[in-house]
């Protein structure tokens, strides 16, 4: 541990994500040559090559892969300890913006009120994010964290508390063949056109919420999706609480058997984790908030 430089470790962790010296320098606000210097210094301390670099690609060596797996949680724990000490010394302050998809109901707002009560010096806002862009607001810094529908497979994002595992329904227009049924199966849903989220929602995320081989209309908001359903263009999967909240005369909600339950999670960017974000995550987890009652599209 003698002479250990945290900047070298931080540089290596960012490089292991970017696998590009230029982008690593941009994230750390240093030159590309400085990235090379920090890496070389760390490799001398370790006593082996951590990164293999050619004119075309950058890759971790087996030693680098092993090192980053051990280093990341340890470094994260160190950052958390420092941030928590700062927060304890001065209290959580500043601003915290929480994004949500669909509608923020009493469950989410109760968690926000609890957080505000515990940390009155932190200005907390709740803002809606597009259905079709679940991760963009977090990446762009428009929000500090967001309650989004799972799955989340983004390497640059941290998935915090996961909650609200709820059964799904399929929303259909009153003239749809499903409208007269007491329930439908996953196979029947997969054979019908389903409303899907438009890009930039990742393909895996869109497929999870529209598991059909039949193309349906792509929408950017929940209300657009329900309008397409009411017009008879396609069906749409929704979690049961969302269906209950958005009942309307021209749409029928039918239970679906055999599809995975809907679930929500709080996500934030690895580079944007703060004491306020962690405290809000603890508030959600500690209160056991059931966001299944929140009308968030599933």
């Amino acid at each position: 541990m003698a002479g250990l430089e945290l900047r070298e470790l931080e540089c290596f962790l960012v490089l292991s994500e970017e696998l590009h010296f230029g982008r690593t320098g941009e994230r750390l606000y240093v030159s590309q040559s400085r990235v090379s210097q920090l890496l070389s210094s760390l490799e001398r301390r370790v006593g082996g090559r951590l990164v293999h670099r050619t004119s075309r690609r950058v890759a971790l060596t087996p030693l680098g892969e092993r090192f980053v797996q051990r280093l990341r949680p340890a470094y994260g724990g160190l950052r958390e300890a420092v941030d928590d000490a700062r927060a304890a010394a001065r209290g959580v302050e500043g601003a915290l913006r929480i994004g949500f998809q669909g509608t923020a109901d009493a469950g989410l707002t109760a968690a926000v009120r609890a957080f505000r009560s515990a940390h009155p010096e932190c200005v907390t806002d709740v803002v809606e994010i597009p259905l079709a862009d679940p991760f963009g607001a977090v990446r762009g810094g428009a929000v500090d964290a967001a309650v989004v529908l799972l799955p989340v497979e983004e390497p640059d994002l941290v998935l915090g508390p996961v909650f609200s595992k709820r059964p799904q329904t399929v929303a259909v227009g009153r003239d749809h063949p499903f409208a007269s049924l007491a329930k439908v199966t996953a196979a029947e849903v997969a054979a019908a056109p389903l409303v899907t989220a438009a890009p930039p929602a990742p393909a895996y995320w869109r497929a999870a919420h529209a598991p059909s081989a039949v193309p349906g209309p792509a929408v950017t908001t929940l209300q657009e999706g329900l309008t397409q359903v009411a017009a008879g263009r396609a069906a749409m999967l929704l979690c049961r609480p969302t269906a209950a909240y958005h009942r309307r005369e021209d749409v029928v909600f039918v239970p679906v058997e055999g599809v995975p339950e809907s679930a929500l999670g709080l996500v934030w960017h690895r580079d944007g984790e703060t004491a306020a974000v962690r405290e809000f995550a603890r508030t959600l987890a500690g209160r056991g908030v059931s966001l299944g009652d929140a009308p968030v599209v599933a």
Side-chain angles (χ1 to χ4, degrees), residues 43-241:
E43 288 179 330
R44 285 195 297 272
R45 295 180 195 279
V46 171
R49 292 286 300 277
L50 300 173
V51 173
H52 178 66
R53 180 183 185 184
T54 68
S55 60
R56 294 187 175 184
R57 65 188 296 265
V58 175
L60 297 181
T61 64
L63 177 62
E65 292 279 5
R66 178 180 177 182
F67 186 43
V68 77
Q69 290 175 5
R70 298 290 300 276
L71 175 62
R72 190 177 300 284
Y75 183 80
L78 178 61
R79 281 186 55 185
E80 182 174 346
V82 173
D83 286 348
D84 286 350
R86 288 174 176 167
R90 66 179 186 233
V92 175
E93 55 188 24
L96 178 68
R97 287 170 63 83
I98 304 297
F100 64 91
Q101 291 179 289
T103 304
D105 84 328
L108 179 55
T109 56
V112 171
R113 287 197 302 272
F115 178 84
R116 284 174 174 164
S117 177
H119 306 288
E121 299 302 316
C122 185
V123 178
T124 310
D125 289 321
V126 183
V127 298
E128 185 175 1
I129 60 176
L131 172 67
D133 192 10
F135 311 123
V138 173
R139 288 195 172 108
V143 299
D144 301 294
V147 173
V148 300
L149 283 157
L150 271 57
V152 176
E153 300 176 5
E154 310 301 301
D156 59 331
L157 302 185
V158 176
L159 176 59
V162 172
F163 32 78
S164 183
K165 292 186 177 180
R166 297 289 177 143
Q168 300 212 56
T169 67
V170 61
V172 296
R174 290 206 167 271
D175 295 331
H176 194 281
F178 293 168
S180 61
L181 302 179
K183 60 185 177 182
V184 295
T185 66
E188 289 172 316
V189 169
L194 292 181
V195 170
T196 185
Y204 75 84
W205 192 91
R206 287 184 278 126
H209 299 291
S212 173
V214 184
V219 301
T220 59
T221 69
L222 172 59
Q223 289 305 320
E224 284 182 21
L226 289 172
T227 300
Q228 296 284 6
V229 168
R233 292 279 316 278
M236 187 177 187
L237 280 180
L238 298 172
C239 68
R240 186 170 294 171

